[in-house]
Amino acid sequence: MFHWLEERPFMFAAVVIVFTAFAGIVELIPDFAKSSRPLVGTKPYTVLQLAGRGVYIKESCNSCHSQLIRPFKSETARYGMYSLSGEYAYDRPFLWGSKRTGPDLLRVGNYRTTDWHEYHMWEPKDVMPTSIMPAYKHMFTNLAKIETAYAEAYTVKKVFNVPYDKEGMPVLGSFEEAKALALKEAKEIAKDMKSKEVKALLEDGKVPEIVAMIAYLNSLK
Amino acid sequence: MDSQSKLVEYDYSVAKLFTYSTLVLGFIGMLIGVILAFQLAYPELNYLIGEYGTFGRLRPLHTSAIIFGFTFSGIFASWYYMGQRLLKISLAEHPFILRLAHIHFYLYVLIIILAVISLLMGITTSKEYAELEWPLDLLVVVSWLLWGVIMSAMVGVRREKSLYVSLWYYIATFLTVSMLYVFNNASVPTYFISGLGDWYHSVSMYSGTNDAMIQWWYGHNAVAFVFTVPIVGIIYYFLPKESMQPLFSYKLSLLSFWGLIFIYVWAGGHHVLYSTAPDWMQTLGSVMSIILIMPSWGSAINMFLTMKGEWQQIQENIALKFMLFASTFYMLSTIEGPLQAIKSVNALAHFTDWIVGHVHDGTLGWVAFIIIAAIIHMTPRMFKREIYSRSLLETQFWIQTIGVVLYFSSLWIAGITQGMMWRATDEYGILLYSFIDTVNILHPYYVIRAIGGSLYLIGFTLFIYNIYKTITCGKVLEKEPVGATPMQRG
Amino acid sequence: MKKLIIYGLLVFFVSMGGTLYYAVDMMGDDTINITTIAIASLILILAIGSSLKYTYQIKYEKAEGELYPESWDDIQKYDNDIPKIWGYSFLASIVFVLWYILIGYPTNSFSQIGQYNEEVLEYNEKWEKKWESIKDDKEALNKMGKSLFLNECAVCHGILADGLNGASRDLVYWGSEKHVEDVIINGSSGSYAMEMPAGMAMGEDAKAISAYVVSEFFEKKEITNEHLIPQGKELYASCAGCHGMDGNGIEGVAPSLRALTTSTLNTGRKGKIGIMPAFGRLNPIQKDALNTYIKNLK
């Protein structure tokens, strides 16, 4: 039979497709709907947080930091409650990571604060002398992509019915409204920050990456 | 030599081009890898080129350069070389296919250049080995389909009735990677929905746990169908050619092939063990990995058995040394992977450097060695010149072997140690080590790993030099050599 | 061949030896650690062993068999049967997995959260007894406190608790006579809505109150201004309004002076490099242990 296939490339290819596609169908489809259901109380990210998430992705923080707490005593003692599927329902893409060169960040908002992040991002070695994390000084001057973040939020609202503007959920509104809201949120965060450059930029109506990043990290709870 | 094969004069122009890109991209990818390794040991190295040189920016570049640059170049180079020979056609007879093949190469180079620029700028989707944003994804799909068209056309006009083993693996590679790539990269460009923001930005079709499951279904099988399947296809051709031995067992190759492609895809679930993916799916992924051991080993065993009684040849032939050493490391990493997928082991091993070590056992010890061996075999036949220096190759072999062993053992120790430290508690049940302790203890291992990687890169640089000298001033060959690749002493 | 065996053994012993060098201390009775070490050895043994076996075959056996008539680019193939060991191993793995998927897994009704709950339950039972006995044992509390400190606090305060050159609070100084005096003069803020104002007392008076507070509530024996303690005791009356006569503080207003660390752990505190978060996840005995440890820092 196999020899027969080897003389018929088209049939050969067809059998290969069946062989390889089979597993995906069996494993991925049955629980697809269940796995995308949000947990009660989980909210989509605000525009500022999404912009921060964009910075997180841009710098590939997920190369070194996971966002997945596995159900072991040693992990819950270190990082907090283990992950639940519904918590990730609004994560597009997911950011579980595959390597912990640095600690897990899924609940970093519970035990690190704005000023800690500011200090740490500027120079991790000031906080942890043997840290091997690079400093991210450029985040203090680069501007966060608020417009792209809004575009993303708008897209998921339209295409995937993510519940922005619903009761108890983050407000999206028009771009102008969202931009004003993000700026307000950013200024609120900057109150706990020391950097003069950051404050000056915010006064100009510009949001530096670091503020968006901190907004995102603080939202991880 | 079979009289028929003299009838066709093969056209190696595209195979040559892809050989060049294999060497160039291999060097770039490995160089970035070495930089990354040193960054982990000496973090000051993160600031070499401002914000563009941090670990996070370079890491996707390293993986992409090695997977899509080095490995795919090697796969394509081998394809345009052995594809003609195994199908007994010459691209010279089919100018249209040859034209397409050239377009394939230049499109590929264009994509690689754009990918390097966009990844350095931080334009990424964050999905491992699928970092490119949608405009580049589309280009990738076009170039991949182009290869598919070329492959189908070549198979279509073939003179051999049936397909040799290597071709099975190539066909499986093409089909499966197409399926995986399209599904995993499915995303919605945000600009077209909202009319705002960066035009190249997109948002994943799937969210959270589903996204993770699809990503690792892809990620695992990208490894399978780029680092395993086509590379097995390559060794199935080059080892018998180089040693002039008949393939030991057709039946074994048959069972290994069908077993491998059927089982491999199932095992993706072992990347998300103890995550929020459904329990049953994790278990399936974990146990299917166990069945995977034997089909993976089958090909390596077939290679070993093909060489039965040829000890003398191996002593003398460096290309064979490369291939057999690679088969050993292939066996190591294909048993390491499935056993790391056992839930109780994964609980400790996941997120540690042991996994990084495992990947590099496969890539340094297996993939790169096979591609190097293939280039050793192809170069004198494509350029009609003897390999420039045998002793240089020998030196390279040993330098790289030591490099791989250092790399493997340092991360082996580092990973298990780190995993245990994360779990360790004192007599009061309190975690014994804070995270930074586990970072500090790894320093010497990171240094050893970086040295191992550097040795490997040095070996590869010698290889590039050797091939360059071969092409430019190797001794000219009168006719195509049969069996062992001719090399100049010295 | 001999050389290869030596290389193989070398790789095995370096990798496993290096691993065990650290692992022996941490192995404990953790099944995951033990399984990992066992499997790690198995990986090396199987990989190295098989490679050596096949290398042996290359050296001492000869490949033969019936050739198929076809050839591709001069590559021929034998019609040999599959190696028996390979075939049986493949079959065995398939049988095992079929059994596992169809019978083993469904009847075991495993869930990872269930496994987690069991782990936590077992842990709690095991340590409850230990905590019970530790309560009044200052020595043991101190030891436990140190362990906690190294894991939870050393990240910011440094393993010597010296605050890493001003990056965070120097806990050796914190709670010393000098420090209390400084707080009395300059005030304190960060934990509670109401701040402790500056200038509660000055000069000699501040020294006296400090001596009293440190000896009485911090339970320290060696005091530089021991002669001022009686005077401090009288002056303390002005502090008692908030901190209580017995030094136990008032919930939500001022911290207990007897358990200053515990109270900081409960509320968190605005510090130099950032807000120190509240450590609500520590249980009371753990907080007590930290309190004891930090009090006794030298």
Side-chain angles (χ1 to χ4, degrees):
Chain A
M1 175 213 157
F2 288 109
H3 201 259
W4 184 85
L5 278 180
E6 284 152 29
E7 290 176 358
R8 286 162 187 78
F10 184 76
M11 295 307 288
F12 184 92
V15 178
V16 168
I17 289 181
V18 172
F19 265 48
T20 51
F22 196 58
I25 294 167
V26 173
E27 289 191 341
L28 296 174
I29 294 178
D31 275 351
F32 195 87
K34 200 167 132 194
S35 297
S36 43
R37 212 169 292 150
L39 199 69
V40 177
T42 304
K43 289 180 185 173
Y45 298 100
T46 66
V47 171
L48 185 66
Q49 289 163 0
L50 265 185
R53 200 166 191 271
V55 180
Y56 189 97
I57 289 170
K58 176 182 168 196
E59 300 295 353
S60 286
C61 302
N62 54 313
S63 291
C64 294
H65 293 279
S66 60
Q67 284 191 25
L68 175 73
I69 303 173
R70 298 176 296 166
F72 308 131
K73 185 80 180 52
S74 57
E75 297 219 344
T76 52
R78 200 184 291 279
Y79 305 118
M81 170 71 174
Y82 53 77
S83 307
L84 294 171
S85 181
E87 293 179 280
Y88 298 112
Y90 301 119
D91 280 15
R92 283 169 202 271
F94 80 112
L95 291 172
W96 291 1
S98 58
K99 174 74 177 55
R100 277 187 194 144
T101 302
D104 190 277
L105 298 179
L106 182 65
R107 307 200 191 284
V108 71
N110 285 337
Y111 49 89
R112 293 283 185 262
T113 49
T114 302
D115 37 8
W116 189 93
H117 285 305
E118 183 191 7
Y119 207 76
H120 184 252
M121 289 289 188
W122 181 257
E123 182 52 86
K125 279 186 191 303
D126 287 351
V127 181
M128 203 90 60
T130 56
S131 170
I132 58 171
M133 177 169 145
Y136 284 94
K137 295 194 168 74
H138 60 263
M139 279 188 196
F140 288 72
T141 44
N142 287 1
L143 296 186
K145 293 182 171 172
I146 301 292
E147 191 176 325
T148 304
Y150 174 81
E152 190 178 319
Y154 183 84
T155 305
V156 293
K157 183 188 170 192
K158 283 280 175 252
V159 180
F160 304 110
N161 282 324
V162 170
Y164 283 106
D165 295 325
K166 299 257 165 67
E167 204 192 326
M169 292 291 175
V171 180
L172 193 58
S174 72
F175 175 55
E176 292 311 316
E177 288 164 10
K179 201 174 156 190
L181 205 63
L183 192 63
K184 193 172 146 233
E185 208 181 316
K187 282 183 175 160
E188 195 60 38
I189 286 170
K191 273 185 192 159
D192 286 332
M193 295 176 68
K194 293 189 185 73
S195 165
K196 293 212 170 61
E197 291 88 345
V198 166
K199 289 188 177 170
L201 281 171
L202 283 168
E203 279 315 309
D204 275 0
K206 294 172 187 152
V207 181
E209 285 185 333
I210 185 74
V211 183
M213 180 73 163
I214 291 175
Y216 172 61
L217 291 173
N218 286 346
S219 78
L220 295 172
K221 281 180 178 171
Chain B
M1 192 187 282
D2 179 332
S3 61
Q4 254 189 315
S5 61
K6 276 182 190 160
L7 295 176
V8 276
E9 183 71 28
Y10 300 114
D11 185 307
Y12 296 130
S13 54
V14 189
K16 284 177 187 172
L17 289 174
F18 274 112
T19 305
Y20 303 143
S21 68
T22 311
L23 295 175
V24 172
L25 294 170
F27 180 78
I28 294 173
M30 290 176 201
L31 179 67
I32 298 174
V34 169
I35 294 173
L36 289 173
F38 274 106
Q39 282 181 343
L40 287 176
Y42 306 102
E44 299 74 24
L45 296 172
N46 274 294
Y47 315 120
L48 294 177
I49 43 170
E51 69 170 280
Y52 305 103
T54 57
F55 186 93
R57 291 283 177 94
L58 293 183
R59 198 262 183 179
L61 200 57
H62 166 62
T63 52
S64 297
I66 290 297
I67 299 174
F68 300 108
F70 171 67
T71 309
F72 266 125
S73 286
I75 292 169
F76 292 144
S78 307
W79 166 258
Y80 287 112
Y81 177 86
M82 71 184 186
Q84 297 183 64
R85 305 179 66 114
L86 287 171
L87 298 164
K88 210 178 279 176
I89 54 158
S90 167
L91 286 176
E93 305 167 297
H94 303 281
F96 183 66
I97 303 181
L98 186 61
R99 173 98 30 95
L100 286 184
H102 275 100
I103 296 175
H104 176 211
F105 174 77
Y106 291 108
L107 185 58
Y108 170 84
V109 171
L110 175 74
I111 293 172
I112 293 287
I113 293 171
L114 291 176
V116 169
I117 295 170
S118 71
L119 289 177
L120 275 179
M121 287 178 53
I123 299 169
T124 158
T125 64
S126 92
K127 287 186 163 193
E128 282 177 72
Y129 330 126
E131 285 96 350
L132 303 180
E133 270 293 2
W134 69 268
L136 276 173
D137 278 342
L138 288 182
L139 276 181
V140 170
V141 170
V142 169
S143 110
W144 189 251
L145 288 180
L146 186 60
W147 184 51
V149 168
I150 293 166
M151 194 155 50
S152 319
M154 284 170 72
V155 171
V157 297
R158 73 191 185 281
R159 294 207 181 86
E160 292 283 4
K161 193 157 192 285
S162 67
L163 303 176
Y164 178 63
V165 190
S166 297
L167 301 178
W168 313 345
Y169 282 95
Y170 268 73
I171 292 172
T173 302
F174 171 71
L175 294 171
T176 316
V177 172
S178 319
M179 170 182 80
L180 297 167
Y181 198 86
V182 168
F183 278 101
N184 187 47
N185 283 288
S187 57
V188 185
T190 53
Y191 181 77
F192 295 123
I193 304 290
S194 65
L196 289 165
D198 294 330
W199 62 274
Y200 50 77
H201 187 70
S202 68
V203 58
S204 174
M205 236 7 183
Y206 322 100
S207 74
T209 306
N210 283 327
D211 199 32
M213 275 158 56
I214 288 167
Q215 158 62 23
W216 285 112
W217 168 75
Y218 164 85
H220 171 77
N221 295 300
V223 173
F225 287 84
V226 179
F227 284 159
T228 308
V229 173
I231 309 298
V232 171
I234 292 175
I235 195 176
Y236 261 113
Y237 174 81
F238 287 99
L239 189 122
K241 278 301 279 185
E242 184 75 18
S243 66
M244 290 199 297
Q245 295 301 306
L247 187 61
F248 180 75
S249 168
Y250 167 66
K251 285 176 192 148
L252 184 55
S253 62
L254 202 62
L255 270 173
S256 306
F257 173 75
W258 291 102
L260 193 76
I261 65 162
F262 182 67
I263 308 290
Y264 224 128
V265 187
W266 291 86
H270 69 218
H271 287 257
V272 289
L273 295 183
Y274 284 111
S275 72
T276 59
D279 247 14
W280 64 267
M281 201 278 279
Q282 297 181 24
T283 305
L284 211 52
S286 178
V287 291
M288 280 302 194
S289 312
I290 303 291
I291 312 192
L292 193 54
I293 298 172
M294 284 303 143
S296 307
W297 274 31
S299 305
I301 291 174
N302 217 351
M303 291 305 124
F304 277 112
L305 295 182
T306 297
M307 292 311 295
K308 262 205 308 196
E310 300 300 319
W311 184 255
Q312 204 53 40
Q313 269 208 57
I314 298 169
Q315 297 283 301
E316 283 160 13
N317 188 330
I318 302 175
L320 286 176
K321 262 188 205 165
F322 269 110
M323 287 192 269
L324 286 175
F325 180 82
S327 302
T328 306
F329 255 80
Y330 175 64
M331 285 174 73
L332 171 70
S333 60
T334 50
I335 187 147
E336 194 181 21
L339 294 186
Q340 282 176 337
I342 296 172
K343 275 190 116 175
S344 323
V345 179
N346 195 268
L348 185 135
H350 193 48
F351 291 134
T352 71
D353 278 302
W354 196 10
I355 307 297
V356 182
H358 162 66
V359 178
H360 286 85
D361 293 349
T363 46
L364 299 176
W366 157 249
V367 178
F369 267 29
I370 293 295
I371 291 176
I372 287 169
I375 292 179
I376 294 175
H377 181 90
M378 289 190 294
T379 307
R381 289 160 174 90
M382 294 193 297
F383 294 94
K384 306 199 173 18
R385 285 173 188 271
E386 282 190 16
I387 291 284
Y388 173 70
S389 165
R390 188 197 146 81
S391 59
L392 205 56
L393 265 190
E394 186 98 27
T395 317
Q396 176 206 347
F397 175 77
W398 285 108
I399 291 180
Q400 290 195 313
T401 303
I402 294 168
V404 178
V405 172
L406 284 181
Y407 199 109
F408 151 79
S409 47
S410 60
L411 285 197
W412 174 285
I413 299 170
I416 299 178
T417 304
Q418 192 183 29
M420 284 200 180
M421 286 176 82
W422 287 341
R423 300 181 60 80
T425 52
D426 66 3
E427 51 178 320
Y428 306 108
I430 298 163
L431 293 173
L432 196 53
Y433 301 100
S434 65
F435 196 91
I436 194 72
D437 296 330
T438 72
V439 175
N440 297 342
I441 204 162
L442 295 187
H443 179 76
Y445 299 102
Y446 281 158
V447 174
I448 297 174
R449 179 261 283 269
I451 292 171
S454 308
L455 287 178
Y456 200 90
L457 178 67
I458 291 169
F460 195 75
T461 314
L462 292 180
F463 184 60
I464 294 175
Y465 173 75
N466 207 350
I467 295 298
Y468 169 74
K469 289 301 259 186
T470 304
I471 296 171
T472 52
C473 56
K475 198 177 131 211
V476 178
L477 287 163
E478 294 296 318
K479 59 176 179 118
E480 193 185 277
V482 181
T485 299
M487 294 177 191
Q488 283 168 249
R489 301 268 152 191
Chain C
M1 190 73 210
K2 254 187 217 150
K3 245 190 341 195
L4 287 180
I5 296 176
I6 293 169
Y7 289 151
L9 286 175
L10 198 68
V11 169
F12 179 82
F13 284 115
V14 168
S15 303
M16 285 319 293
T19 309
L20 288 172
Y21 174 74
Y22 290 107
V24 275
D25 293 340
M26 293 185 282
M27 283 267 271
D29 52 357
D30 186 343
T31 45
I32 287 188
N33 287 348
I34 296 165
T35 320
T36 302
I37 290 295
I39 293 284
S41 317
L42 189 69
I43 292 170
L44 289 176
I45 291 169
L46 284 177
I48 296 171
S50 315
S51 311
L52 289 175
K53 169 188 155 18
Y54 291 112
T55 313
Y56 178 88
Q57 279 181 287
I58 290 177
K59 193 161 186 192
Y60 298 107
E61 288 175 18
K62 188 111 193 81
E64 46 204 12
E66 213 163 298
L67 284 169
Y68 279 96
E70 336 154 72
S71 76
W72 296 264
D73 196 21
D74 301 332
I75 298 176
Q76 291 182 291
K77 54 193 187 186
Y78 286 123
D79 183 23
N80 285 329
D81 277 333
I82 54 171
K84 283 207 175 57
I85 307 179
W86 183 84
Y88 288 129
S89 313
F90 192 18
L91 201 64
S93 67
I94 293 174
V95 171
F96 162 74
V97 168
L98 281 181
W99 169 82
Y100 193 81
I101 292 173
L102 298 175
I103 300 165
Y105 178 67
T107 53
N108 185 27
S109 63
F110 171 86
S111 106
Q112 59 189 33
I113 302 303
Q115 191 185 36
Y116 173 75
N117 290 339
E118 276 169 25
E119 191 189 348
V120 172
L121 216 63
E122 192 187 337
Y123 166 85
N124 287 348
E125 260 171 37
K126 205 161 151 192
W127 301 115
E128 213 161 319
K129 281 203 183 106
K130 198 147 203 159
W131 284 337
E132 214 33 60
S133 63
I134 215 173
K135 236 183 207 163
D136 304 307
D137 183 350
K138 287 275 170 216
E139 194 69 22
L141 272 178
N142 196 32
K143 227 174 114 199
M144 182 173 164
K146 181 173 183 181
S147 174
L148 268 169
F149 180 85
L150 288 178
N151 185 54
E152 303 274 357
C153 320
V155 170
C156 293
H157 292 283
I159 45 172
L160 299 174
D162 57 359
L164 299 174
N165 299 324
S168 66
R169 209 166 280 275
D170 178 347
L171 293 178
V172 181
Y173 171 72
W174 193 71
S176 68
E177 248 180 296
K178 191 89 198 86
H179 172 236
V180 176
E181 185 190 333
D182 183 62
V183 169
I184 294 169
I185 295 171
N186 295 317
S188 170
S189 66
S191 289
Y192 291 88
M194 206 172 89
E195 288 180 11
M196 171 166 163
M200 289 298 287
M202 296 310 258
E204 189 84 341
D205 288 357
K207 279 197 172 65
I209 298 174
S210 162
Y212 172 72
V213 166
V214 172
S215 71
E216 181 70 18
F217 303 131
F218 297 180
E219 297 159 28
K220 287 202 176 158
K221 301 278 179 303
E222 288 161 41
I223 307 289
T224 23
N225 297 318
E226 209 164 347
H227 59 285
L228 294 175
I229 292 178
Q231 187 192 342
K233 189 171 179 176
E234 278 174 36
L235 289 166
Y236 179 74
S238 61
C239 314
C242 293
H243 290 288
M245 225 29 224
D246 51 2
N248 278 335
I250 298 169
E251 181 89 40
V253 177
S256 155
L257 297 177
R258 286 186 185 277
L260 206 47
T261 303
T262 312
S263 120
T264 310
L265 287 171
N266 286 337
T267 54
R269 190 185 168 104
K270 182 116 181 106
K272 286 192 182 168
I273 54 166
I275 296 163
M276 167 176 157
F279 280 75
R281 65 200 156 89
L282 299 179
N283 67 37
I285 295 171
Q286 288 176 319
K287 285 179 193 158
D288 217 23
L290 268 177
N291 196 35
T292 313
Y293 176 69
I294 289 170
K295 248 186 205 172
N296 290 311
L297 275 172
K298 283 198 183 83

